[in-house]
Amino acid sequence: MHFDTLHNQFQAGKLGMWLFLGQEVLFFAALFTAYAVYRGNHTEMFHYGQFFLNWQMGAANTIVLLFSSMTAAWSVRCAQLEQRKGLLLTIAVTWLCAATFMIIKYFEYTHKIHVGSVWGASFNIHDFSELPEKLQKLLTEQGITTTEAANAKLGKDGLGLGTFFAVYFCMTGLHGIHVLVGMGLYAWLFVRALKGSFNRKYYGAVDNIALYWHIVDLIWIFLFPLLYLIG
Amino acid sequence: MSDGHAHSHDDHGHGEALPGTIGHVTPASTLIGVFLTLVVLTVITVAAAQVDVGRLNVVGALAIATVKGSIVALWFMHLRYDKRFNFFIMFGSVLFLLWMVGYILFDTKMYQHDMENYRHNKTVDGKPKPE
């Protein structure tokens, strides 16, 4: 052991994790800046882009992540109280919530790719009838009824929705990668908990991974309203 | 919080902590309470977004998200009971985030008008482009 006491070791590990989390906030800061700049200058792009997002799916994912944040915090409590079954259960539930989040995300992504509402110059709607109903109605009111006309209005020579979806995929994609990393970490924690590696004086891994998981939740708390709700 | 203070948490586990436990043990009721509060705030976020109040929608959504984020940081992430230094790492990062977003927005807003003019085939002064 390289530290005087287990308490020192725990606090040093935690400090390292907080420095990493501080860096994570700065990492995402760049993407939030991109969002703010595009939104500040092209509000209409976000107004139209939002028609493509399913807020029910976003809300479901929010609840899933909030619940997993609670079970992650609970796993720390179980480790401190040396409740082995509770620790295994809370770790497993957190992992399952992360998997649920990714499954919902998968359905969202595949639908967007199917419709053609994707990033940058690749944005190209395949079929007018596949557009979200509310958007179809809005476009019809403006006399836009064909796929070509819709692309002219929404595409790169029009509102430039490709930029909206570039921001959308970068932000949710980077967040999704964090969720996948979290799944890997919780799988590793489960194996270690199964071996009985943790006790009330040695549970730094459980605590630090929970901290990481909370920051993933925290970022989603901001992404959800910014992308799905306000148009 | 000082090191000595953190040690005193060893026997501050709301009576349920085992002797010599490192860190603060959050009561189960607090964990459930925090989760339910976050769910209620999510419902409020969704409901508030249905009312169109223009620019205030962004402000409202960000305000509620900030409250939710603070609750996660203070209770789930134990910042309330943690060393104050860890709190300032996070606080500092958020401050720099706001600084960066703020200044870049300020800058882009200042020049956007010129860019729009340029895009409409004019010079940056807004005069027609000499041919």
Side-chain angles (χ1 to χ4, degrees):
Chain A
M1 193 166 69
H2 306 286
F3 294 89
D4 286 347
T5 63
L6 281 168
H7 186 264
N8 282 358
Q9 182 178 335
F10 179 80
Q11 291 298 349
K14 212 176 166 83
L15 172 65
M17 186 40 103
W18 274 108
L19 286 170
F20 172 69
L21 297 185
Q23 174 278 137
E24 285 281 281
V25 170
L26 298 179
F27 188 24
F28 273 94
L31 289 173
F32 280 109
T33 306
Y35 174 92
V37 168
Y38 282 119
R39 193 194 170 91
N41 293 322
H42 308 282
T43 321
E44 69 293 347
M45 183 167 85
F46 285 78
H47 179 65
Y48 278 83
Q50 209 173 40
F51 284 109
F52 290 89
L53 303 192
N54 184 330
W55 72 264
Q56 285 93 337
M57 279 188 166
N61 260 348
T62 306
I63 303 297
V64 166
L65 272 197
L66 290 178
F67 187 76
S68 75
S69 232
M70 180 183 71
T71 57
W74 211 308
S75 72
V76 176
R77 179 186 147 84
C78 287
Q80 289 168 325
L81 297 176
E82 303 196 345
Q83 297 168 341
R84 195 165 173 273
K85 272 187 189 164
L87 179 62
L88 287 170
L89 181 70
T90 47
I91 290 173
V93 171
T94 309
W95 189 91
L96 284 172
C97 285
T100 308
F101 181 92
M102 288 315 292
I103 291 168
I104 294 177
K105 199 93 257 165
Y106 169 80
F107 282 117
E108 288 191 76
Y109 277 6
T110 46
H111 182 68
K112 279 179 189 61
I113 291 165
H114 173 74
V115 173
S117 54
V118 290
W119 48 87
S122 306
F123 180 91
N124 185 37
I125 299 301
H126 304 317
D127 192 346
F128 185 84
S129 64
E130 278 174 353
L131 285 172
E133 270 178 41
K134 276 186 187 170
L135 184 60
Q136 280 191 38
K137 214 176 141 222
L138 188 80
L139 290 176
T140 309
E141 279 167 14
Q142 298 174 23
I144 298 166
T145 48
T146 62
T147 310
E148 293 73 32
N151 271 324
K153 164 87 181 175
L154 305 170
K156 73 175 182 329
D157 297 322
L159 288 167
L161 283 196
T163 308
F164 172 82
F165 282 103
V167 171
Y168 167 84
F169 276 103
C170 278
M171 291 185 106
T172 60
L174 187 64
H175 179 268
I177 289 170
H178 279 77
V179 174
L180 288 177
V181 170
M183 285 176 74
L185 291 171
Y186 270 103
W188 174 73
L189 262 194
F190 189 81
V191 174
R192 284 198 69 188
L194 212 56
K195 288 180 185 162
S197 305
F198 305 116
N199 58 55
R200 66 186 185 278
K201 291 185 180 183
Y202 181 81
Y203 65 92
V206 183
D207 197 36
N208 287 333
I209 291 175
L211 284 178
Y212 168 83
W213 192 249
H214 294 314
I215 209 91
V216 173
D217 179 31
L218 222 159
I219 288 163
W220 183 258
I221 284 176
F222 282 89
L223 288 184
F224 170 57
L226 286 180
L227 291 170
Y228 290 77
L229 289 180
I230 42 172
Chain B
M1 274 153 235
S2 74
D3 214 350
H5 197 103
H7 264 296
S8 72
H9 282 311
D10 291 2
D11 25 45
H12 168 71
H14 300 272
E16 48 180 348
L18 302 161
T21 302
I22 291 176
H24 172 265
V25 182
T26 311
S29 55
T30 306
L31 294 175
I32 295 171
V34 167
F35 169 67
L36 292 177
T37 309
L38 292 170
V39 170
V40 169
L41 286 171
T42 306
V43 173
I44 294 176
T45 312
V46 173
Q50 311 305 317
V51 192
D52 187 12
V53 281
R55 295 218 146 202
L56 278 179
N57 276 112
V58 193
V59 179
L62 281 177
I64 302 172
T66 307
V67 172
K68 284 171 76 182
S70 305
I71 291 172
V72 169
L74 290 174
W75 276 278
F76 280 168
M77 296 173 97
H78 287 139
L79 271 185
R80 249 191 107 199
Y81 310 100
D82 211 344
K83 291 186 170 214
R84 199 149 289 170
F85 191 74
N86 292 341
F87 172 82
F88 281 113
I89 293 173
M90 204 47 174
F91 189 71
S93 274
V94 173
L95 218 59
F96 270 98
L97 181 149
L98 294 175
W99 195 12
M100 178 159 148
V101 173
Y103 264 100
I104 293 183
L105 259 187
F106 183 60
D107 188 64
T108 184
K109 277 290 180 188
M110 205 163 164
Y111 297 106
Q112 191 61 25
H113 182 68
D114 295 342
M115 283 174 61
E116 293 293 330
N117 277 340
Y118 183 76
R119 268 183 60 182
H120 291 105
N121 227 4
K122 289 170 184 170
T123 65
V124 284
D125 321 277
K127 288 173 188 148
K129 208 175 188 179
E131 210 38 69

